[in-house]
Amino acid sequence: MMSNDQPVTYLNLDEIHHLAQVALESNGFSQAQANSIAISVTAAERDGCQSHGLFRVSFYINALRNSIADAKAEPALQVNDSTVIHVDGKNGFCPLALDIGLPALVSKAQMHGTAALAIHNVYNIAALWPEVELLAQQGLVAFAFTTSNAYVTPAGGIKPLFGTNPMAFGFPREAMPPLVFDQASSASARGEIQLHQRDGQPIPDGWAIDREGLPTNDPDAALAGAQLPFGGHKGASIALMVELLAGALIGENFSVDSSSQDTHRVGAPFGGELLLAIDPEKFGSTQYLQRAEFLFSQMLDMPGTRLPSQRRYEQREKSVTQGVAMPARLLTELAEMTNN
Ligand code: NDP
């Protein structure tokens, strides 16, 4: 049983991938779009990131039913002599656009030392750590940024303007999985509030305000009001930076644009993602991996600390051997979506 006493079924990773793939394909997604999304939600379940796991399949399907999303879109890669690569997602979903753009980003960064990948015209409902982890596994330092919908109020405001705007960072390690963090610039991811709403649980202090600007622990009032940035004005500035990088810089939607286009309140952000990759070998330090390990060891010598991504990697090992606990209600919802 899960903490809120829902019955659960343990599924292995192939079963999770299969459920997502079949649900998506039965709703009109192409095999390629469905496969990339299924890989993304399976990785999230595997790493204990339920808010971007099978729970999200309904968001993909709703985006298709209630928007201009093209679930058969074939993203187009544009590479030229510059160090900036573009992928036009053609109103499809981000995972397939990333699959097409990331190999080119790795090659460009290895060739020139730094490179950028701008993804355009995609619905992005996923976590960002998979792409920075993949880049860091190739020995690159990596950043990823994306806007979302207008959910977060600037420090001192009461109306939503910024997205929950995640940014992710990856740094390679020698013979170890990379160091990765991936965090929303809001106090919580919106999916976490939706999970609390689904489970009838109050949200923690500091996550949101209601429509009148008063602090709230009620997930319904929070979703109708505004989310708060993490760390007050400092998180708000990160959210602003993400709007500028993944919106203005690459010529894509701000979060408010995505919200105003979302007339059916699907909640699937539409816009772009910016990725930056740096080849540390080109910076001339021969010791960067050892120096990073020295810093990590000093950090971990302090009781109570851990590295970001450590929880995910530990959960990954458990999921591979023990499977993943799936709430019965989620599996029922998925079966209903698959049959309709
Ligand atoms: P969390 O606050 O849960 O975690 C943020 C990061 O902090 C993770 O890398 C986590 O590592 C790390 N971390 C957590 N606790 C500690 C600790 N004690 N010491 C060191 N590191 C720690 O994530 P958020 O709620 O901010 O975001 C959740 C997800 O939502 C992200 O993956 C983000 O990409 C996604 N998102 C996607 C959006 C979209 O529109 N596509 C919009 C907003 C968010 P670990 O994973 O190991 O716990």
Side-chain angles (χ1 to χ4, degrees), residues 20 24 27 29 33 36-38 40-41 52-67 69 71 92-95 123-127 266 268 337:
L24 292 162
N27 279 277
F29 284 70
Q33 288 277 350
S36 290
I37 296 167
S40 165
V41 299
H52 292 84
L54 282 180
F55 166 70
R56 284 281 158 186
V57 170
S58 66
F59 287 66
Y60 287 99
I61 293 171
N62 283 336
L64 187 59
R65 290 178 179 169
N66 295 304
S67 70
F93 295 84
C94 200
Y123 289 84
N124 193 346
I125 319 176
V266 176
M337 274 182 265

PDB file of all heavy atoms in Angstrom, residues 20 24 27 29 33 36-38 40-41 52-67 69 71 92-95 123-127 266 268 337:
ATOM      1  N   ALA A  20       2.262   3.060 -21.311  1.00  0.00           N
ATOM      2  CA  ALA A  20       2.277   4.431 -21.851  1.00  0.00           C
ATOM      3  C   ALA A  20       2.192   4.403 -23.375  1.00  0.00           C
ATOM      4  O   ALA A  20       1.395   5.121 -23.978  1.00  0.00           O
ATOM      5  CB  ALA A  20       3.546   5.156 -21.395  1.00  0.00           C
ATOM      6  N   LEU A  24      -0.949   5.918 -25.572  1.00  0.00           N
ATOM      7  CA  LEU A  24      -0.718   7.035 -26.498  1.00  0.00           C
ATOM      8  C   LEU A  24      -1.065   6.642 -27.934  1.00  0.00           C
ATOM      9  O   LEU A  24      -1.769   7.376 -28.634  1.00  0.00           O
ATOM     10  CB  LEU A  24       0.750   7.490 -26.394  1.00  0.00           C
ATOM     11  CG  LEU A  24       1.117   8.143 -25.045  1.00  0.00           C
ATOM     12  CD1 LEU A  24       2.623   8.166 -24.843  1.00  0.00           C
ATOM     13  CD2 LEU A  24       0.545   9.566 -24.963  1.00  0.00           C
ATOM     14  N   ASN A  27      -4.605   6.568 -28.798  1.00  0.00           N
ATOM     15  CA  ASN A  27      -5.210   7.897 -28.899  1.00  0.00           C
ATOM     16  C   ASN A  27      -4.681   8.693 -30.081  1.00  0.00           C
ATOM     17  O   ASN A  27      -4.875   9.905 -30.155  1.00  0.00           O
ATOM     18  CB  ASN A  27      -4.984   8.669 -27.607  1.00  0.00           C
ATOM     19  CG  ASN A  27      -5.990   8.269 -26.535  1.00  0.00           C
ATOM     20  OD1 ASN A  27      -7.101   8.778 -26.518  1.00  0.00           O
ATOM     21  ND2 ASN A  27      -5.616   7.317 -25.689  1.00  0.00           N
ATOM     22  N   PHE A  29      -1.343   8.878 -31.309  1.00  0.00           N
ATOM     23  CA  PHE A  29       0.069   9.295 -31.398  1.00  0.00           C
ATOM     24  C   PHE A  29       0.799   8.364 -32.364  1.00  0.00           C
ATOM     25  O   PHE A  29       0.541   7.153 -32.404  1.00  0.00           O
ATOM     26  CB  PHE A  29       0.740   9.202 -30.022  1.00  0.00           C
ATOM     27  CG  PHE A  29       0.364  10.320 -29.088  1.00  0.00           C
ATOM     28  CD1 PHE A  29      -0.915  10.407 -28.554  1.00  0.00           C
ATOM     29  CD2 PHE A  29       1.279  11.293 -28.735  1.00  0.00           C
ATOM     30  CE1 PHE A  29      -1.269  11.437 -27.701  1.00  0.00           C
ATOM     31  CE2 PHE A  29       0.931  12.337 -27.890  1.00  0.00           C
ATOM     32  CZ  PHE A  29      -0.339  12.408 -27.366  1.00  0.00           C
ATOM     33  N   GLN A  33       6.436   9.332 -31.754  1.00  0.00           N
ATOM     34  CA  GLN A  33       6.091  10.265 -30.670  1.00  0.00           C
ATOM     35  C   GLN A  33       5.771   9.473 -29.402  1.00  0.00           C
ATOM     36  O   GLN A  33       6.252   9.804 -28.308  1.00  0.00           O
ATOM     37  CB  GLN A  33       4.874  11.127 -31.063  1.00  0.00           C
ATOM     38  CG  GLN A  33       5.153  12.186 -32.124  1.00  0.00           C
ATOM     39  CD  GLN A  33       5.762  13.475 -31.547  1.00  0.00           C
ATOM     40  OE1 GLN A  33       5.819  13.686 -30.347  1.00  0.00           O
ATOM     41  NE2 GLN A  33       6.240  14.343 -32.432  1.00  0.00           N
ATOM     42  N   SER A  36       8.971   7.981 -27.676  1.00  0.00           N
ATOM     43  CA  SER A  36       9.817   8.939 -26.952  1.00  0.00           C
ATOM     44  C   SER A  36       9.141   9.389 -25.658  1.00  0.00           C
ATOM     45  O   SER A  36       9.801   9.543 -24.628  1.00  0.00           O
ATOM     46  CB  SER A  36      10.110  10.166 -27.832  1.00  0.00           C
ATOM     47  OG  SER A  36      10.967   9.788 -28.882  1.00  0.00           O
ATOM     48  N   ILE A  37       7.824   9.605 -25.709  1.00  0.00           N
ATOM     49  CA  ILE A  37       7.111   9.996 -24.483  1.00  0.00           C
ATOM     50  C   ILE A  37       7.125   8.839 -23.482  1.00  0.00           C
ATOM     51  O   ILE A  37       7.334   9.045 -22.277  1.00  0.00           O
ATOM     52  CB  ILE A  37       5.659  10.417 -24.814  1.00  0.00           C
ATOM     53  CG1 ILE A  37       5.664  11.666 -25.686  1.00  0.00           C
ATOM     54  CG2 ILE A  37       4.864  10.663 -23.535  1.00  0.00           C
ATOM     55  CD1 ILE A  37       4.312  11.991 -26.330  1.00  0.00           C
ATOM     56  N   ALA A  38       6.922   7.625 -23.979  1.00  0.00           N
ATOM     57  CA  ALA A  38       6.911   6.462 -23.079  1.00  0.00           C
ATOM     58  C   ALA A  38       8.272   6.283 -22.397  1.00  0.00           C
ATOM     59  O   ALA A  38       8.349   5.951 -21.204  1.00  0.00           O
ATOM     60  CB  ALA A  38       6.525   5.198 -23.847  1.00  0.00           C
ATOM     61  N   SER A  40      10.281   8.724 -21.678  1.00  0.00           N
ATOM     62  CA  SER A  40      10.357   9.808 -20.703  1.00  0.00           C
ATOM     63  C   SER A  40       9.551   9.484 -19.435  1.00  0.00           C
ATOM     64  O   SER A  40      10.056   9.625 -18.316  1.00  0.00           O
ATOM     65  CB  SER A  40       9.846  11.102 -21.375  1.00  0.00           C
ATOM     66  OG  SER A  40       9.575  12.098 -20.443  1.00  0.00           O
ATOM     67  N   VAL A  41       8.313   9.020 -19.583  1.00  0.00           N
ATOM     68  CA  VAL A  41       7.514   8.750 -18.378  1.00  0.00           C
ATOM     69  C   VAL A  41       8.035   7.509 -17.645  1.00  0.00           C
ATOM     70  O   VAL A  41       7.981   7.449 -16.413  1.00  0.00           O
ATOM     71  CB  VAL A  41       5.996   8.625 -18.670  1.00  0.00           C
ATOM     72  CG1 VAL A  41       5.434   9.893 -19.257  1.00  0.00           C
ATOM     73  CG2 VAL A  41       5.658   7.455 -19.535  1.00  0.00           C
ATOM     74  N   HIS A  52       6.057  13.265 -13.089  1.00  0.00           N
ATOM     75  CA  HIS A  52       6.297  13.240 -14.535  1.00  0.00           C
ATOM     76  C   HIS A  52       6.256  11.823 -15.096  1.00  0.00           C
ATOM     77  O   HIS A  52       6.748  11.572 -16.187  1.00  0.00           O
ATOM     78  CB  HIS A  52       7.620  13.946 -14.880  1.00  0.00           C
ATOM     79  CG  HIS A  52       7.509  15.418 -14.621  1.00  0.00           C
ATOM     80  ND1 HIS A  52       7.709  15.955 -13.380  1.00  0.00           N
ATOM     81  CD2 HIS A  52       7.153  16.440 -15.416  1.00  0.00           C
ATOM     82  CE1 HIS A  52       7.491  17.263 -13.418  1.00  0.00           C
ATOM     83  NE2 HIS A  52       7.149  17.578 -14.639  1.00  0.00           N
ATOM     84  N   GLY A  53       5.631  10.937 -14.346  1.00  0.00           N
ATOM     85  CA  GLY A  53       5.509   9.551 -14.776  1.00  0.00           C
ATOM     86  C   GLY A  53       4.190   9.290 -15.496  1.00  0.00           C
ATOM     87  O   GLY A  53       3.668  10.155 -16.205  1.00  0.00           O
ATOM     88  N   LEU A  54       3.630   8.094 -15.276  1.00  0.00           N
ATOM     89  CA  LEU A  54       2.397   7.700 -15.980  1.00  0.00           C
ATOM     90  C   LEU A  54       1.252   8.682 -15.738  1.00  0.00           C
ATOM     91  O   LEU A  54       0.365   8.839 -16.576  1.00  0.00           O
ATOM     92  CB  LEU A  54       1.971   6.298 -15.530  1.00  0.00           C
ATOM     93  CG  LEU A  54       2.742   5.122 -16.143  1.00  0.00           C
ATOM     94  CD1 LEU A  54       2.193   3.810 -15.602  1.00  0.00           C
ATOM     95  CD2 LEU A  54       2.668   5.138 -17.667  1.00  0.00           C
ATOM     96  N   PHE A  55       1.295   9.352 -14.576  1.00  0.00           N
ATOM     97  CA  PHE A  55       0.324  10.403 -14.256  1.00  0.00           C
ATOM     98  C   PHE A  55       0.212  11.423 -15.393  1.00  0.00           C
ATOM     99  O   PHE A  55      -0.849  12.015 -15.616  1.00  0.00           O
ATOM    100  CB  PHE A  55       0.812  11.051 -12.949  1.00  0.00           C
ATOM    101  CG  PHE A  55       0.182  12.358 -12.586  1.00  0.00           C
ATOM    102  CD1 PHE A  55      -1.141  12.421 -12.176  1.00  0.00           C
ATOM    103  CD2 PHE A  55       0.929  13.537 -12.610  1.00  0.00           C
ATOM    104  CE1 PHE A  55      -1.713  13.635 -11.810  1.00  0.00           C
ATOM    105  CE2 PHE A  55       0.364  14.747 -12.239  1.00  0.00           C
ATOM    106  CZ  PHE A  55      -0.966  14.794 -11.851  1.00  0.00           C
ATOM    107  N   ARG A  56       1.323  11.631 -16.113  1.00  0.00           N
ATOM    108  CA  ARG A  56       1.357  12.679 -17.145  1.00  0.00           C
ATOM    109  C   ARG A  56       0.759  12.228 -18.482  1.00  0.00           C
ATOM    110  O   ARG A  56       0.541  13.059 -19.368  1.00  0.00           O
ATOM    111  CB  ARG A  56       2.806  13.095 -17.427  1.00  0.00           C
ATOM    112  CG  ARG A  56       3.406  13.967 -16.387  1.00  0.00           C
ATOM    113  CD  ARG A  56       2.956  15.396 -16.520  1.00  0.00           C
ATOM    114  NE  ARG A  56       3.115  16.069 -15.237  1.00  0.00           N
ATOM    115  CZ  ARG A  56       2.705  17.289 -14.971  1.00  0.00           C
ATOM    116  NH1 ARG A  56       2.107  17.996 -15.892  1.00  0.00           N
ATOM    117  NH2 ARG A  56       2.873  17.811 -13.791  1.00  0.00           N
ATOM    118  N   VAL A  57       0.519  10.917 -18.640  1.00  0.00           N
ATOM    119  CA  VAL A  57       0.038  10.446 -19.943  1.00  0.00           C
ATOM    120  C   VAL A  57      -1.281  11.131 -20.296  1.00  0.00           C
ATOM    121  O   VAL A  57      -1.519  11.523 -21.437  1.00  0.00           O
ATOM    122  CB  VAL A  57      -0.085   8.904 -19.949  1.00  0.00           C
ATOM    123  CG1 VAL A  57      -0.819   8.420 -21.194  1.00  0.00           C
ATOM    124  CG2 VAL A  57       1.317   8.281 -19.880  1.00  0.00           C
ATOM    125  N   SER A  58      -2.138  11.345 -19.284  1.00  0.00           N
ATOM    126  CA  SER A  58      -3.423  12.001 -19.561  1.00  0.00           C
ATOM    127  C   SER A  58      -3.209  13.432 -20.045  1.00  0.00           C
ATOM    128  O   SER A  58      -4.006  13.945 -20.830  1.00  0.00           O
ATOM    129  CB  SER A  58      -4.317  11.983 -18.325  1.00  0.00           C
ATOM    130  OG  SER A  58      -3.753  12.780 -17.308  1.00  0.00           O
ATOM    131  N   PHE A  59      -2.137  14.091 -19.599  1.00  0.00           N
ATOM    132  CA  PHE A  59      -1.873  15.461 -20.053  1.00  0.00           C
ATOM    133  C   PHE A  59      -1.520  15.455 -21.546  1.00  0.00           C
ATOM    134  O   PHE A  59      -1.933  16.325 -22.293  1.00  0.00           O
ATOM    135  CB  PHE A  59      -0.708  16.081 -19.263  1.00  0.00           C
ATOM    136  CG  PHE A  59      -1.059  16.443 -17.845  1.00  0.00           C
ATOM    137  CD1 PHE A  59      -1.369  15.463 -16.915  1.00  0.00           C
ATOM    138  CD2 PHE A  59      -1.064  17.763 -17.441  1.00  0.00           C
ATOM    139  CE1 PHE A  59      -1.686  15.795 -15.606  1.00  0.00           C
ATOM    140  CE2 PHE A  59      -1.371  18.107 -16.125  1.00  0.00           C
ATOM    141  CZ  PHE A  59      -1.683  17.113 -15.210  1.00  0.00           C
ATOM    142  N   TYR A  60      -0.724  14.460 -21.939  1.00  0.00           N
ATOM    143  CA  TYR A  60      -0.375  14.358 -23.362  1.00  0.00           C
ATOM    144  C   TYR A  60      -1.635  14.125 -24.195  1.00  0.00           C
ATOM    145  O   TYR A  60      -1.838  14.747 -25.239  1.00  0.00           O
ATOM    146  CB  TYR A  60       0.622  13.216 -23.584  1.00  0.00           C
ATOM    147  CG  TYR A  60       2.032  13.507 -23.091  1.00  0.00           C
ATOM    148  CD1 TYR A  60       2.498  13.037 -21.875  1.00  0.00           C
ATOM    149  CD2 TYR A  60       2.915  14.254 -23.868  1.00  0.00           C
ATOM    150  CE1 TYR A  60       3.788  13.303 -21.434  1.00  0.00           C
ATOM    151  CE2 TYR A  60       4.204  14.524 -23.451  1.00  0.00           C
ATOM    152  CZ  TYR A  60       4.633  14.048 -22.226  1.00  0.00           C
ATOM    153  OH  TYR A  60       5.901  14.329 -21.805  1.00  0.00           O
ATOM    154  N   ILE A  61      -2.479  13.225 -23.725  1.00  0.00           N
ATOM    155  CA  ILE A  61      -3.686  12.895 -24.496  1.00  0.00           C
ATOM    156  C   ILE A  61      -4.634  14.092 -24.524  1.00  0.00           C
ATOM    157  O   ILE A  61      -5.221  14.417 -25.564  1.00  0.00           O
ATOM    158  CB  ILE A  61      -4.352  11.628 -23.910  1.00  0.00           C
ATOM    159  CG1 ILE A  61      -3.417  10.432 -24.165  1.00  0.00           C
ATOM    160  CG2 ILE A  61      -5.737  11.400 -24.518  1.00  0.00           C
ATOM    161  CD1 ILE A  61      -3.807   9.151 -23.466  1.00  0.00           C
ATOM    162  N   ASN A  62      -4.780  14.778 -23.387  1.00  0.00           N
ATOM    163  CA  ASN A  62      -5.654  15.965 -23.362  1.00  0.00           C
ATOM    164  C   ASN A  62      -5.123  17.065 -24.270  1.00  0.00           C
ATOM    165  O   ASN A  62      -5.898  17.789 -24.898  1.00  0.00           O
ATOM    166  CB  ASN A  62      -5.790  16.506 -21.942  1.00  0.00           C
ATOM    167  CG  ASN A  62      -6.740  15.665 -21.145  1.00  0.00           C
ATOM    168  OD1 ASN A  62      -7.600  14.997 -21.717  1.00  0.00           O
ATOM    169  ND2 ASN A  62      -6.594  15.669 -19.839  1.00  0.00           N
ATOM    170  N   ALA A  63      -3.803  17.186 -24.332  1.00  0.00           N
ATOM    171  CA  ALA A  63      -3.226  18.203 -25.225  1.00  0.00           C
ATOM    172  C   ALA A  63      -3.630  17.912 -26.663  1.00  0.00           C
ATOM    173  O   ALA A  63      -3.926  18.817 -27.443  1.00  0.00           O
ATOM    174  CB  ALA A  63      -1.709  18.226 -25.088  1.00  0.00           C
ATOM    175  N   LEU A  64      -3.680  16.645 -26.995  1.00  0.00           N
ATOM    176  CA  LEU A  64      -4.046  16.258 -28.352  1.00  0.00           C
ATOM    177  C   LEU A  64      -5.531  16.505 -28.624  1.00  0.00           C
ATOM    178  O   LEU A  64      -5.915  16.985 -29.680  1.00  0.00           O
ATOM    179  CB  LEU A  64      -3.737  14.770 -28.518  1.00  0.00           C
ATOM    180  CG  LEU A  64      -3.895  14.209 -29.899  1.00  0.00           C
ATOM    181  CD1 LEU A  64      -2.988  14.941 -30.849  1.00  0.00           C
ATOM    182  CD2 LEU A  64      -3.561  12.727 -29.876  1.00  0.00           C
ATOM    183  N   ARG A  65      -6.356  16.199 -27.612  1.00  0.00           N
ATOM    184  CA  ARG A  65      -7.811  16.320 -27.819  1.00  0.00           C
ATOM    185  C   ARG A  65      -8.264  17.778 -27.825  1.00  0.00           C
ATOM    186  O   ARG A  65      -9.281  18.095 -28.409  1.00  0.00           O
ATOM    187  CB  ARG A  65      -8.544  15.579 -26.702  1.00  0.00           C
ATOM    188  CG  ARG A  65      -8.403  14.068 -26.809  1.00  0.00           C
ATOM    189  CD  ARG A  65      -9.094  13.379 -25.651  1.00  0.00           C
ATOM    190  NE  ARG A  65      -8.977  11.929 -25.763  1.00  0.00           N
ATOM    191  CZ  ARG A  65      -9.303  11.084 -24.798  1.00  0.00           C
ATOM    192  NH1 ARG A  65      -9.759  11.541 -23.651  1.00  0.00           N
ATOM    193  NH2 ARG A  65      -9.161   9.788 -24.976  1.00  0.00           N
ATOM    194  N   ASN A  66      -7.530  18.654 -27.137  1.00  0.00           N
ATOM    195  CA  ASN A  66      -8.047  20.011 -26.893  1.00  0.00           C
ATOM    196  C   ASN A  66      -7.127  21.125 -27.364  1.00  0.00           C
ATOM    197  O   ASN A  66      -7.198  22.236 -26.856  1.00  0.00           O
ATOM    198  CB  ASN A  66      -8.283  20.192 -25.389  1.00  0.00           C
ATOM    199  CG  ASN A  66      -9.359  19.268 -24.887  1.00  0.00           C
ATOM    200  OD1 ASN A  66     -10.457  19.289 -25.403  1.00  0.00           O
ATOM    201  ND2 ASN A  66      -9.020  18.436 -23.932  1.00  0.00           N
ATOM    202  N   SER A  67      -6.234  20.844 -28.288  1.00  0.00           N
ATOM    203  CA  SER A  67      -5.337  21.908 -28.721  1.00  0.00           C
ATOM    204  C   SER A  67      -4.918  21.615 -30.155  1.00  0.00           C
ATOM    205  O   SER A  67      -5.446  20.723 -30.809  1.00  0.00           O
ATOM    206  CB  SER A  67      -4.100  21.969 -27.827  1.00  0.00           C
ATOM    207  OG  SER A  67      -3.305  20.843 -28.077  1.00  0.00           O
ATOM    208  N   ALA A  69      -2.084  20.431 -30.928  1.00  0.00           N
ATOM    209  CA  ALA A  69      -0.963  19.483 -30.896  1.00  0.00           C
ATOM    210  C   ALA A  69      -1.070  18.488 -32.053  1.00  0.00           C
ATOM    211  O   ALA A  69      -2.164  18.038 -32.402  1.00  0.00           O
ATOM    212  CB  ALA A  69      -0.958  18.724 -29.574  1.00  0.00           C
ATOM    213  N   ALA A  71       0.157  14.915 -32.875  1.00  0.00           N
ATOM    214  CA  ALA A  71       0.749  13.733 -32.251  1.00  0.00           C
ATOM    215  C   ALA A  71       1.474  12.850 -33.254  1.00  0.00           C
ATOM    216  O   ALA A  71       2.026  11.817 -32.887  1.00  0.00           O
ATOM    217  CB  ALA A  71      -0.327  12.925 -31.548  1.00  0.00           C
ATOM    218  N   GLY A  92       4.454  19.082 -32.125  1.00  0.00           N
ATOM    219  CA  GLY A  92       4.445  17.789 -31.446  1.00  0.00           C
ATOM    220  C   GLY A  92       4.924  17.947 -30.011  1.00  0.00           C
ATOM    221  O   GLY A  92       4.837  19.026 -29.419  1.00  0.00           O
ATOM    222  N   PHE A  93       5.512  16.902 -29.481  1.00  0.00           N
ATOM    223  CA  PHE A  93       5.875  16.860 -28.064  1.00  0.00           C
ATOM    224  C   PHE A  93       7.397  16.815 -27.925  1.00  0.00           C
ATOM    225  O   PHE A  93       8.094  16.300 -28.804  1.00  0.00           O
ATOM    226  CB  PHE A  93       5.194  15.659 -27.401  1.00  0.00           C
ATOM    227  CG  PHE A  93       3.695  15.829 -27.412  1.00  0.00           C
ATOM    228  CD1 PHE A  93       2.946  15.471 -28.535  1.00  0.00           C
ATOM    229  CD2 PHE A  93       3.038  16.408 -26.347  1.00  0.00           C
ATOM    230  CE1 PHE A  93       1.571  15.676 -28.577  1.00  0.00           C
ATOM    231  CE2 PHE A  93       1.667  16.623 -26.373  1.00  0.00           C
ATOM    232  CZ  PHE A  93       0.930  16.245 -27.498  1.00  0.00           C
ATOM    233  N   CYS A  94       7.868  17.361 -26.797  1.00  0.00           N
ATOM    234  CA  CYS A  94       9.303  17.624 -26.679  1.00  0.00           C
ATOM    235  C   CYS A  94      10.198  16.370 -26.726  1.00  0.00           C
ATOM    236  O   CYS A  94      11.286  16.433 -27.295  1.00  0.00           O
ATOM    237  CB  CYS A  94       9.567  18.425 -25.397  1.00  0.00           C
ATOM    238  SG  CYS A  94      11.159  19.265 -25.442  1.00  0.00           S
ATOM    239  N   PRO A  95       9.774  15.241 -26.124  1.00  0.00           N
ATOM    240  CA  PRO A  95      10.734  14.125 -26.080  1.00  0.00           C
ATOM    241  C   PRO A  95      11.290  13.712 -27.449  1.00  0.00           C
ATOM    242  O   PRO A  95      12.497  13.467 -27.579  1.00  0.00           O
ATOM    243  CB  PRO A  95       9.922  13.003 -25.417  1.00  0.00           C
ATOM    244  CG  PRO A  95       8.974  13.741 -24.504  1.00  0.00           C
ATOM    245  CD  PRO A  95       8.576  14.968 -25.293  1.00  0.00           C
ATOM    246  N   TYR A 123       5.065  20.944 -27.219  1.00  0.00           N
ATOM    247  CA  TYR A 123       4.429  20.834 -25.906  1.00  0.00           C
ATOM    248  C   TYR A 123       5.450  20.153 -24.993  1.00  0.00           C
ATOM    249  O   TYR A 123       5.966  19.084 -25.328  1.00  0.00           O
ATOM    250  CB  TYR A 123       3.148  20.004 -26.000  1.00  0.00           C
ATOM    251  CG  TYR A 123       2.053  20.754 -26.728  1.00  0.00           C
ATOM    252  CD1 TYR A 123       2.002  20.741 -28.120  1.00  0.00           C
ATOM    253  CD2 TYR A 123       1.124  21.508 -26.037  1.00  0.00           C
ATOM    254  CE1 TYR A 123       1.025  21.452 -28.798  1.00  0.00           C
ATOM    255  CE2 TYR A 123       0.140  22.229 -26.704  1.00  0.00           C
ATOM    256  CZ  TYR A 123       0.101  22.198 -28.080  1.00  0.00           C
ATOM    257  OH  TYR A 123      -0.851  22.917 -28.742  1.00  0.00           O
ATOM    258  N   ASN A 124       5.736  20.821 -23.872  1.00  0.00           N
ATOM    259  CA  ASN A 124       6.763  20.267 -22.978  1.00  0.00           C
ATOM    260  C   ASN A 124       6.156  20.030 -21.605  1.00  0.00           C
ATOM    261  O   ASN A 124       5.919  20.959 -20.844  1.00  0.00           O
ATOM    262  CB  ASN A 124       7.957  21.221 -22.880  1.00  0.00           C
ATOM    263  CG  ASN A 124       9.152  20.553 -22.232  1.00  0.00           C
ATOM    264  OD1 ASN A 124       9.023  19.486 -21.634  1.00  0.00           O
ATOM    265  ND2 ASN A 124      10.313  21.156 -22.358  1.00  0.00           N
ATOM    266  N   ILE A 125       5.923  18.762 -21.288  1.00  0.00           N
ATOM    267  CA  ILE A 125       5.273  18.415 -20.022  1.00  0.00           C
ATOM    268  C   ILE A 125       6.245  17.617 -19.161  1.00  0.00           C
ATOM    269  O   ILE A 125       5.891  17.143 -18.087  1.00  0.00           O
ATOM    270  CB  ILE A 125       4.002  17.568 -20.295  1.00  0.00           C
ATOM    271  CG1 ILE A 125       3.225  18.101 -21.503  1.00  0.00           C
ATOM    272  CG2 ILE A 125       3.099  17.559 -19.072  1.00  0.00           C
ATOM    273  CD1 ILE A 125       2.030  17.280 -21.897  1.00  0.00           C
ATOM    274  N   ALA A 126       7.472  17.453 -19.648  1.00  0.00           N
ATOM    275  CA  ALA A 126       8.389  16.497 -19.022  1.00  0.00           C
ATOM    276  C   ALA A 126       9.384  17.170 -18.076  1.00  0.00           C
ATOM    277  O   ALA A 126       9.524  18.389 -18.063  1.00  0.00           O
ATOM    278  CB  ALA A 126       9.156  15.764 -20.125  1.00  0.00           C
ATOM    279  N   ALA A 127      10.060  16.344 -17.279  1.00  0.00           N
ATOM    280  CA  ALA A 127      11.197  16.805 -16.479  1.00  0.00           C
ATOM    281  C   ALA A 127      12.385  17.057 -17.414  1.00  0.00           C
ATOM    282  O   ALA A 127      12.448  16.518 -18.522  1.00  0.00           O
ATOM    283  CB  ALA A 127      11.557  15.739 -15.453  1.00  0.00           C
ATOM    284  N   VAL A 266      -5.845  23.048 -20.951  1.00  0.00           N
ATOM    285  CA  VAL A 266      -5.241  21.714 -20.984  1.00  0.00           C
ATOM    286  C   VAL A 266      -4.082  21.638 -20.000  1.00  0.00           C
ATOM    287  O   VAL A 266      -3.812  20.609 -19.387  1.00  0.00           O
ATOM    288  CB  VAL A 266      -4.732  21.409 -22.412  1.00  0.00           C
ATOM    289  CG1 VAL A 266      -4.011  20.082 -22.464  1.00  0.00           C
ATOM    290  CG2 VAL A 266      -5.879  21.430 -23.384  1.00  0.00           C
ATOM    291  N   ALA A 268      -0.923  21.986 -20.804  1.00  0.00           N
ATOM    292  CA  ALA A 268       0.307  21.493 -21.430  1.00  0.00           C
ATOM    293  C   ALA A 268       1.034  22.692 -22.028  1.00  0.00           C
ATOM    294  O   ALA A 268       0.568  23.255 -23.014  1.00  0.00           O
ATOM    295  CB  ALA A 268      -0.014  20.472 -22.508  1.00  0.00           C
ATOM    296  N   MET A 337      -8.416   5.434 -20.520  1.00  0.00           N
ATOM    297  CA  MET A 337      -7.930   6.282 -21.608  1.00  0.00           C
ATOM    298  C   MET A 337      -7.544   5.444 -22.828  1.00  0.00           C
ATOM    299  O   MET A 337      -7.708   5.850 -23.966  1.00  0.00           O
ATOM    300  CB  MET A 337      -6.678   7.047 -21.170  1.00  0.00           C
ATOM    301  CG  MET A 337      -6.958   8.342 -20.446  1.00  0.00           C
ATOM    302  SD  MET A 337      -5.381   9.091 -20.072  1.00  0.00           S
ATOM    303  CE  MET A 337      -5.120   8.520 -18.432  1.00  0.00           C
TER     304      MET A 337
END
